[in-house]
Amino acid sequence: MTKTLLVFPSNREDFLVAGKFLLFFLISFIALDAIVNLIPLELFEAMFAAPTNFILNLLGFESSMQSGEPVLIFLKDFNFPIAISYLCTGLLEWIVLCSTLVASSEVNAKKRMIGLVGATVFVFLFNLTRILASILFIVFFGLSFAEFSHDVFFRVFLFFSIAGFYFFWLKNNA
């Protein structure tokens, strides 16, 4: 007996459901991206740099923040600033995740709205944790290890923030 992996929907109804999902995903993605692009990127970067700077100071690291594009964090006794740029904000992951939630028409609108709020909080906190961990790796393990761990954290964050959140949300709401 051979097993077949279905790549395409097996019938017309499944095909229409998948097409509807992709259409609403695309519309949501374009709309959210357009709305986000109306807001200066520096504000999003500062949304992560300010709490990161605050937490670093709470942990005993003397640091300061400089507005600009990108927003910079300066740690005392370090020769280079830490840049909080677009990719650090998690905006792309948030837009993809929110677009996925909006496109999930099998879930009622109220649960999708609750999911959007939950996704926003989750992505913010998870991303803030990723940024702090990356900075602490720089401090304790050096720049070369931190570059490697940053790349790994980015990919893990990308997967868990989108696929992980969506899986658990859909499992509990469908």
Side-chain angles (χ1 to χ4, degrees):
M1 179 177 171
T2 61
K3 293 186 178 192
T4 305
L5 177 65
L6 294 177
V7 178
F8 295 102
S10 59
N11 60 42
R12 188 178 196 294
E13 184 179 319
D14 289 343
F15 186 77
L16 290 174
V17 169
K20 181 180 172 184
F21 176 85
L22 289 174
L23 177 64
F24 283 116
F25 173 83
L26 184 61
I27 291 168
S28 300
F29 184 90
I30 291 168
L32 280 173
D33 189 56
I35 292 167
V36 164
N37 283 318
L38 294 174
I39 302 167
L41 181 57
E42 184 179 331
L43 291 177
F44 291 111
E45 294 168 350
M47 273 180 23
F48 287 95
T52 299
N53 185 55
F54 178 77
I55 293 169
L56 286 170
N57 280 291
L58 280 178
L59 293 174
F61 298 99
E62 191 175 325
S63 65
S64 61
M65 188 178 102
Q66 178 182 324
S67 294
E69 177 47 44
V71 175
L72 301 175
I73 294 177
F74 296 90
L75 286 169
K76 183 180 178 187
D77 300 327
F78 272 71
N79 296 331
F80 55 88
I82 297 166
I84 306 296
S85 65
Y86 172 75
L87 288 177
C88 298
T89 64
L91 278 174
L92 181 59
E93 292 86 349
W94 179 79
I95 291 169
V96 169
L97 181 55
C98 288
S99 298
T100 304
L101 297 175
V102 167
S104 299
S105 60
E106 68 275 15
V107 177
N108 72 47
K110 182 179 177 184
K111 288 182 179 181
R112 282 188 274 166
M113 291 301 293
I114 293 169
L116 292 172
V117 172
T120 301
V121 171
F122 175 78
V123 168
F124 179 82
L125 293 175
F126 197 61
N127 197 41
L128 183 60
T129 302
R130 181 186 65 85
I131 292 168
L132 282 164
S134 295
I135 292 171
L136 293 175
F137 278 163
I138 292 171
V139 171
F140 292 113
F141 300 109
L143 190 56
S144 59
F145 180 77
E147 286 176 2
F148 169 75
S149 67
H150 181 271
D151 289 343
V152 171
F153 276 166
F154 179 76
R155 285 170 181 79
V156 168
F157 171 72
L158 185 68
F159 177 76
F160 279 109
S161 65
I162 296 172
F165 184 92
Y166 184 70
F167 172 78
F168 286 107
W169 175 81
L170 191 59
K171 183 178 177 184
N172 292 309
N173 289 297

